[in-house]
Amino acid sequence: MVLDTVLTIIFVNYQTSNEVKGACMQTMAIIGAQWGDEGKGKLTDLLAEKCDLVVRYQGGHNAGHTIWVNGQKTVLHVIPSGVLHPHCLSVIGHGVVLEPENFLTELARIKQVTKVSPDNLKISSTATVITSYHKLLDAAREAQGSEKIGTTGKGIGPAYEAKVSRRAIKVKDLLDKDTLVRRLSNGYAEKAIIFKHLYQIDFPTIEQEVERLYRFGETLKDYVTDSFGLIDQKLSQGKRVLYEGAQGILLDIDYGTYPYVTSSSTAASGIFTGAGIPHHKLEEVIGVAKAYTTRVGEGPFPTELHDEMGTLIQQKGNEIGATTGRKRRCGWIDIPLLRYAVKCSQLSSIALTKLDILCGLSELKVCYAYEVNGKTVDCAYPGINLYNAKPLFKDFKPFNDDFTGKPSQELQNYINFIQEAVGIPVGIYAYGPDRNQIVFRKDYF
Ligand code: IMP
């Protein structure tokens, strides 16, 4: 089905602010259903065409959302993936952690490919700032800690720690030097001891960091707004809002495979705290999953392939982190983990991506359950020790589609099995990086 028709169906009935309420799809979320890197950026970019707002609600520049348009690659880290549609307002919500220098570099890069200005890009005044100290702390812990997480090294965890300990700097603080001095002085003595005596690394003085942050604040001030008020206003005007998740549900600070997680709420619950719409229901929550599984960094991974097949998928799928350049670990698709993800975020449909990578493989497997202590388990509840979970596989006849016509029976069998196993429709599947390499299977949107 032609994309435009599908999008029309998605948002059919949208006409005026009053008519829209309850009558059509006004709010939609795109969330990673695995350990990140599922292809959320491409989907967000595609659906953003018919949206008024795209809102990032958590994470920071640890994300790497890759979008291909007519053979041209754009990688977004903290700027929402709706930015390639200038009519669409991109909002960095208050649940995001923002590194101002990185943001400005990304902004300059994106300005070369599309029109971006304070008219179509906004940053929450209460988003948390990632400082130099957070980046140094993240790197030092990873280098010297005994239980490595394999973080992206961007300062994400320490910035969220600062927020929770009520010592963070907010974006609005960048605009006032006195506030910056006051906020940075809070806890500085503690930091100095840690950097000097524990990690023995150089670190900036308060004055140096204030100068640096204030300079960035001056440059980005026109983008700063009250994002809660803005989203609230747009929702009440009946505007269509797309919430763009970063990372994946299995990396969620609460639902994920702790401690091998990121420090934010990547699941749908993060939307309510990180964008600020507790009063507004989500009408569609799309969980994006690769047709296989990947993971970057440490942590359990029951279906991981340590053999030639794992290497083949890694190479064919170009499974290299868009942010860190690290090779991603690869394995077969894991239904117990997907079932868990569906429950965590009340996913209403699945978008299955990168099916082309599985084409022509000599074998094809789906993990439909685990064996744990002699019992068969079909959902990866957090009580299960995933290191102890033996994956049970069902073999599938490999497909070899070129995706120009009707899907082969083998491909249909694979998709239908996944759909039935997770209990929600596979509404979308993608078979390449470009905007048009996608199939909308159902009109149920
Ligand atoms: P952090 O978010 O940098 O603290 O990293 C914590 C964990 O989340 C590490 O295992 C990272 O590899 C992983 N992670 C963070 N961001 C992403 C992402 O965008 N894609 C995939 N994994 C990520």
Side-chain angles (χ1 to χ4, degrees):
M1 181 176 296
V2 180
L3 172 64
D4 217 47
T5 315
V6 175
L7 294 173
T8 308
I9 291 166
I10 295 172
F11 298 114
V12 76
N13 295 337
Y14 169 67
Q15 275 161 19
T16 68
S17 55
N18 290 334
E19 283 164 15
V20 94
K21 290 226 159 143
C24 72
M25 188 81 67
Q26 192 193 0
T27 52
M28 187 189 271
I30 291 178
I31 295 182
Q34 295 163 322
W35 280 294
D37 310 315
E38 301 94 346
K40 299 175 289 293
K42 166 184 164 134
L43 208 61
T44 308
D45 161 65
L46 208 53
L47 294 174
E49 192 183 352
K50 293 284 169 124
C51 284
D52 300 300
L53 267 76
V54 174
V55 182
R56 272 281 305 267
Y57 56 92
Q58 47 71 228
H61 64 307
N62 48 350
H65 294 171
T66 306
I67 300 166
W68 286 86
V69 184
N70 302 329
Q72 193 187 355
K73 181 178 173 183
T74 304
V75 181
L76 296 161
H77 295 288
V78 73
I79 295 179
S81 304
V83 76
L84 297 186
H85 302 280
H87 78 273
C88 184
L89 182 58
S90 293
V91 181
I92 298 175
H94 65 245
V96 170
V97 282
L98 187 94
E99 204 288 309
E101 183 172 6
N102 178 275
F103 166 78
L104 289 168
T105 309
E106 185 174 335
L107 182 62
R109 187 167 48 78
I110 298 306
K111 276 183 171 175
Q112 289 172 6
V113 286
T114 191
K115 233 172 113 188
V116 194
S117 74
D119 291 337
N120 65 348
L121 175 63
K122 295 287 180 196
I123 308 168
S124 169
S125 57
T126 51
T128 296
V129 173
I130 301 178
T131 68
S132 301
Y133 307 114
H134 299 146
K135 284 182 281 179
L136 287 171
L137 202 53
D138 197 2
R141 284 176 180 162
E142 283 290 300
Q144 297 182 29
S146 57
E147 200 176 42
K148 265 189 205 284
I149 304 294
T151 72
T152 58
K154 307 288 179 194
I156 305 294
Y160 276 113
E161 281 174 37
K163 169 179 162 176
V164 177
S165 67
R166 293 151 296 180
R167 286 179 166 179
I169 290 171
K170 297 291 179 170
V171 165
K172 64 181 178 194
D173 301 335
L174 297 175
L175 313 181
D176 182 74
K177 253 190 192 176
D178 292 340
T179 311
L180 266 181
V181 171
R182 203 181 68 246
R183 299 296 298 160
L184 278 174
S185 306
N186 186 12
Y188 185 79
E190 193 181 295
K191 280 190 210 93
I193 291 171
I194 292 173
F195 287 133
K196 214 186 284 177
H197 300 294
L198 182 62
Y199 294 125
Q200 291 151 9
I201 50 174
D202 291 334
F203 57 98
T205 61
I206 294 181
E207 292 71 28
Q208 285 167 332
E209 188 64 357
V210 166
E211 282 310 318
R212 198 182 81 88
L213 291 176
Y214 184 72
R215 192 160 29 92
F216 294 136
E218 281 290 291
T219 318
L220 58 73
K221 68 173 183 247
D222 292 343
Y223 293 88
V224 179
T225 196
D226 162 13
S227 60
F228 183 100
L230 176 70
I231 298 168
D232 187 46
Q233 185 195 35
K234 298 289 179 188
L235 281 169
S236 56
Q237 288 169 354
K239 302 290 183 190
R240 295 177 295 227
V241 182
L242 181 58
Y243 297 95
E244 179 186 20
Q247 293 82 48
I249 293 169
L250 304 176
L251 287 171
D252 185 278
I253 184 72
D254 291 298
Y255 294 115
T257 47
Y258 193 91
Y260 303 105
V261 293
T262 190
S263 299
S264 66
S265 297
T266 59
S269 46
I271 296 171
F272 303 112
T273 52
I277 52 149
H279 56 290
H280 215 281
K281 97 181 213 315
L282 289 170
E283 287 156 87
E284 178 73 36
V285 186
I286 303 175
V288 188
K290 267 182 203 163
Y292 46 99
T293 311
T294 62
R295 173 163 209 170
V296 212
E298 308 299 316
F301 185 169
T303 63
E304 183 169 9
L305 288 160
H306 298 281
D307 55 9
E308 284 171 5
M309 183 58 81
T311 310
L312 180 64
I313 294 175
Q314 190 275 322
Q315 288 172 351
K316 245 187 118 183
N318 193 24
E319 293 298 349
I320 296 169
T323 301
T324 57
R326 291 180 291 178
K327 274 189 189 167
R328 297 178 186 138
R329 301 154 64 192
C330 297
W332 298 119
I333 197 160
D334 186 324
I335 299 293
L337 279 172
L338 282 180
R339 285 199 185 108
Y340 173 60
V342 169
K343 290 175 198 288
C344 290
S345 283
Q346 255 200 318
L347 301 179
S348 42
S349 62
I350 294 280
L352 203 58
T353 61
K354 295 191 95 166
L355 273 157
D356 53 311
I357 306 307
L358 299 182
C359 279
L361 294 186
S362 56
E363 56 175 355
L364 182 61
K365 291 174 189 288
V366 170
C367 165
Y368 63 92
Y370 304 141
E371 189 187 301
V372 185
N373 301 328
K375 289 198 178 122
T376 305
V377 173
D378 65 5
C379 179
Y381 287 116
I384 290 163
N385 178 357
L386 289 180
Y387 287 112
N388 212 9
K390 180 174 167 247
L392 302 175
F393 290 111
K394 178 175 163 58
D395 285 301
F396 280 78
K397 200 163 166 216
F399 47 84
N400 201 1
D401 292 54
D402 63 6
F403 300 98
T404 51
K406 194 171 171 276
S408 66
Q409 193 55 52
E410 288 79 18
L411 176 59
Q412 289 185 49
N413 291 347
Y414 187 73
I415 295 173
N416 288 341
F417 180 83
I418 292 167
Q419 167 171 285
E420 275 159 38
V422 298
I424 54 169
V426 171
I428 299 166
Y429 70 81
Y431 55 88
D434 217 86
R435 266 180 185 165
N436 58 10
Q437 292 175 305
I438 197 156
V439 173
F440 285 80
R441 277 181 101 212
K442 296 196 174 193
D443 301 342
Y444 66 88
F445 282 122

